[in-house]
Structures are given as C-alpha cells and as structure tokens.
Amino acid sequence: DIQMTQSPSSLSASVGDAVTITCRASQSISTFLSWYRQKPGKAPELLIYGTSSLRRGAPSRFSGSGSGTEFTLTISSLQPEDFATYYCQQSYTTPRTFGPGTKVDFK
Amino acid sequence: QLQLVESGGGLVKPGGSLTLSCEASGFTFSDFFMNWVRQAPGKGLEWISYISRSGSMKEYAESVTGRFTISRDNAKRSLYLEMNSLRVEDTAVYYCAREVANHNNMDVWGKGTTVTVSS
C-alpha cells in the first residue's frame, strides 16, 4: 500500500497569513494527488485534484504543486472559513490512501 | 443540485450486521465509480471501498475485506454497504463519495451516517 504523510500535523495562523502544507507519498504517484478541506462536523470537500487543478467553485487562494512523491498545498491568504483540517489523498492506485491530516487553527 | 444522502447508520452490537445506503441525485449515477470512506471519532479519513460504474469491479481496504460488501443499483441511483461481523473499531461516520474519472478524485460527498458498534 502507498503510505501518505503530511507535515505539519497542526499549525496556528492568523487571517491573512500564507500557509503551506506538505504531503509525501511512499512511492511515486505521478500527479494523482487531491486535497480536501474538512470543517468540524462536516463532510470533506474537494479543493485540488490532479495535484494542481483547482476544483470549479473553489477559492483561487488555494493552489497545489508537486509530482512524484512530494506535494504542497498553499493557501495564499487564510480566511476564517479555512480554519479546518486538510487531507491529501492519492488516487494512483488502491487502496486510495489519505494522509493523516493537518489541522489549521487560530493563532 | 448534486447530492448524495447516506442512511442506515445506528447502534449495533459487536458481531452484528448493518447495511448502509447512499442515494444520489442531480447527476447520472451510472456514469461514476462510487466510494465509501469512513472516519472514526477524532480520527482521519479512511477509504474502505469502491465500485465501478456497472458494479463489476469492487475493491476493499484490508481492514474490511471479507466482512463488508459494496454494491449498487443504478436503476435506483443507490449505493450500498453491507457490513457484517462488526467490530468496535468499525465505529465511525461513513461517507459515500462520487469519483471522477481521469484523476480519480472524489468530488461529491454525502453528509455521512454514523455507525456505533458497542455492547
């Protein structure tokens, strides 16, 4: 199975801050990497797919990059609704593994 | 409006069984692979199964293989998860999610249904 790791596991930030989250795969997954945001008590929502494609309707402050085994999610200017947990997920093969999550909270 | 609505969760004793349902609306259900993903209390997301458009291909996480069965009825626009030999560690919110071909991402999610396995 492909293992996914994320760093940091949590971070504290303020509205307006730029934030970067890193995701690593245990083997190459090409660009089959998605990012999801999960607000407390809610279902996950897709933000980025195919490593860098912004989901239609997702805010443009979200961007993704990377390939192979290392990927990043960047939030250019954190908004109040972005205080949530972020998960990366590989869809290169099954099982479709998720990273352990990065919780973004208020500084 | 694209929508997935899960149902069937509840409290069940260890060793018991439960079947979850997920009803789709707002899109052509038979055009998409479908997934089940779960989240234990306070934990991260765990993919557990997917099924192809026709239902001919199914895959499972090791943690549920042999105990859970995924199925679908395209005429009813519904996805199912039959869960047998339930364990305390199966306690979670269960989500169904639509998978988009090409990048295999999950772009539409239901709100989830809660399964609690406890004596």
Side-chain angles (χ1 to χ4, degrees):
Chain A
D1 295 0
I2 297 175
Q3 309 302 319
M4 306 299 291
T5 59
Q6 288 181 234
S7 60
S9 57
S10 65
L11 65 92
S12 297
S14 302
V15 172
D17 285 353
V19 166
T20 297
I21 299 168
T22 298
C23 175
R24 290 185 175 86
S26 59
Q27 64 188 75
S28 177
I29 57 171
S30 183
T31 58
F32 286 85
L33 192 283
S34 300
W35 290 97
Y36 301 85
R37 176 178 64 182
Q38 187 178 33
K39 300 173 185 176
K42 301 295 186 182
E45 52 181 326
L46 177 69
L47 296 172
I48 300 285
Y49 65 93
T51 296
S52 58
S53 296
L54 186 68
R55 189 249 177 100
R56 185 182 302 180
S60 58
R61 61 182 179 273
F62 292 97
S63 63
S65 64
S67 68
T69 61
E70 187 156 335
F71 304 86
T72 59
L73 172 71
T74 300
I75 310 172
S76 60
S77 177
L78 208 60
Q79 296 303 298
E81 60 269 30
D82 299 333
F83 291 93
T85 301
Y86 294 82
Y87 295 93
C88 62
Q89 182 231 341
Q90 65 83 17
S91 55
Y92 181 72
T93 188
T94 56
R96 298 211 187 300
T97 39
F98 289 88
T102 296
K103 185 176 181 179
V104 177
D105 60 19
F106 290 99
K107 184 181 290 183
Chain B
Q1 182 184 0
L2 305 176
Q3 193 170 14
L4 295 169
V5 179
E6 302 94 337
S7 60
L11 174 63
V12 61
K13 288 181 167 51
S17 299
L18 208 57
T19 297
L20 307 183
S21 300
C22 169
E23 186 170 349
S25 59
F27 64 95
T28 303
F29 180 69
S30 57
D31 282 352
F32 294 89
F33 276 54
M34 295 296 296
N35 292 264
W36 286 101
V37 175
R38 70 182 180 184
Q39 186 169 37
K43 302 297 185 182
L45 301 170
E46 179 189 15
W47 174 86
I48 55 173
S49 184
Y50 83 21
I51 187 168
S52 63
R53 288 177 286 268
S54 67
S56 61
M57 183 170 67
K58 306 173 184 181
E59 298 217 24
Y60 300 92
E62 189 174 343
S63 59
V64 305
T65 296
R67 300 188 300 123
F68 290 12
T69 301
I70 191 171
S71 62
R72 67 190 295 163
D73 184 333
N74 288 337
K76 293 184 177 178
R77 308 169 63 84
S78 292
L79 174 73
Y80 306 100
L81 186 68
E82 179 183 353
M83 305 184 294
N84 297 314
S85 303
L86 282 161
R87 305 167 180 168
V88 171
E89 54 266 34
D90 294 319
T91 295
V93 176
Y94 285 73
Y95 298 101
C96 62
R98 182 181 87 164
E99 181 169 303
V100 179
N102 193 24
H103 291 287
N104 304 334
N105 51 278
M106 299 180 206
D107 71 331
V108 180
W109 293 65
K111 292 183 178 180
T113 188
T114 300
V115 173
T116 303
V117 184
S118 174
S119 54

